[in-house]
Amino acid sequence: MQAIEYFEVECTEKLGGEYYRQITNDVLLDHNLLRVIHKLHVYIDPRIPIFVAVGILKKVTTLVRVSDIANVNPQEGKMTLAISDETYLAPMLKLFWDRFGKDHVDQPDRFTVILTGITASSREIEEMAIADPSEALYKDLVYAFRCICPEGFRVRSENYGAEKFSFVASEDTLTDTGLSLIKEKFALMGETP
């Protein structure tokens, strides 16, 4: 697993900063998000009180296609798919059911799917997109930072787009201070919001 190129946790209390660095690392590792974050800066000031996280994402892999998780073996009147990765098996089966009907899709075991009586070629089956990993990324990031930010910081503002994200949380109403901190922390990473 590649490390985050830039990972900084800034806190007005030294010991608190060390704890939040470990908490942030553990939560992102648990949610398998370290692989998609390129740069991350977290700022915590309990006196204001405010929590700010800004980051740059790595390029997320493209669509997951049938060929990424299965070998398609055309045979007379059917196609047998040998599953090598079960991660996306459920969405693949749903796609097949929707497109071909449940009567044409059989799964004799967890590593085999058999398509019978279909008109699609093996190449068409291999090229079918079954998942877009970037769709769940935003939800995963928001959930992770909700776990990371201090308890009671219920007023939040989240922004995600163009491979950048920001998360601001506080006990109080968010003011322009949060927005200026976002710009400041992006600048520390050599980026603009």
Side-chain angles (χ1 to χ4, degrees), residues 9-13 16-17 19-21 24 41-53 148-150 153 185:
V9 175
E10 182 183 356
C11 185
T12 56
E13 298 173 2
Y19 284 135
Y20 265 95
R21 181 173 181 79
T24 302
H41 192 101
V42 175
Y43 173 80
I44 306 144
D45 188 343
R47 294 172 298 178
I48 293 178
I50 197 159
F51 173 92
V52 176
I148 295 167
C149 79
F153 281 38
K185 302 314 169 190

Side-chain angles (χ1 to χ4, degrees), residues 131-147:
D132 182 355
S134 65
E135 287 178 354
L137 182 58
Y138 175 69
K139 291 180 199 172
D140 292 346
L141 280 169
V142 169
Y143 180 76
F145 283 106
R146 284 182 179 176
C147 294

Side-chain angles (χ1 to χ4, degrees), residues 73-80 103-104 114-120:
N73 304 309
Q75 298 163 328
E76 179 123 4
K78 66 179 181 177
M79 283 191 215
T80 303
D103 294 346
H104 298 280
I114 300 171
L115 304 174
T116 55
I118 62 169
T119 58

Side-chain angles (χ1 to χ4, degrees), residues 117-136:
I118 62 169
T119 58
S121 70
S122 60
R123 183 77 180 146
E124 287 176 284
I125 299 296
E126 289 173 341
E127 291 298 316
M128 291 175 78
I130 53 176
D132 182 355
S134 65
E135 287 178 354

Side-chain angles (χ1 to χ4, degrees), residues 10 41-43 50-56 156-160 164-169 174-193:
E10 182 183 356
H41 192 101
V42 175
Y43 173 80
I50 197 159
F51 173 92
V52 176
V54 297
I56 308 297
R156 293 184 293 264
S157 173
E158 302 129 3
N159 190 14
Y160 172 79
K164 296 178 183 180
F165 68 90
S166 63
F167 180 95
V168 181
L174 293 173
T175 63
D176 290 338
T177 304
L179 294 175
S180 64
L181 282 169
I182 290 171
K183 289 178 185 175
E184 178 185 320
K185 302 314 169 190
F186 268 119
L188 288 174
M189 295 187 301
E191 303 286 339
T192 57

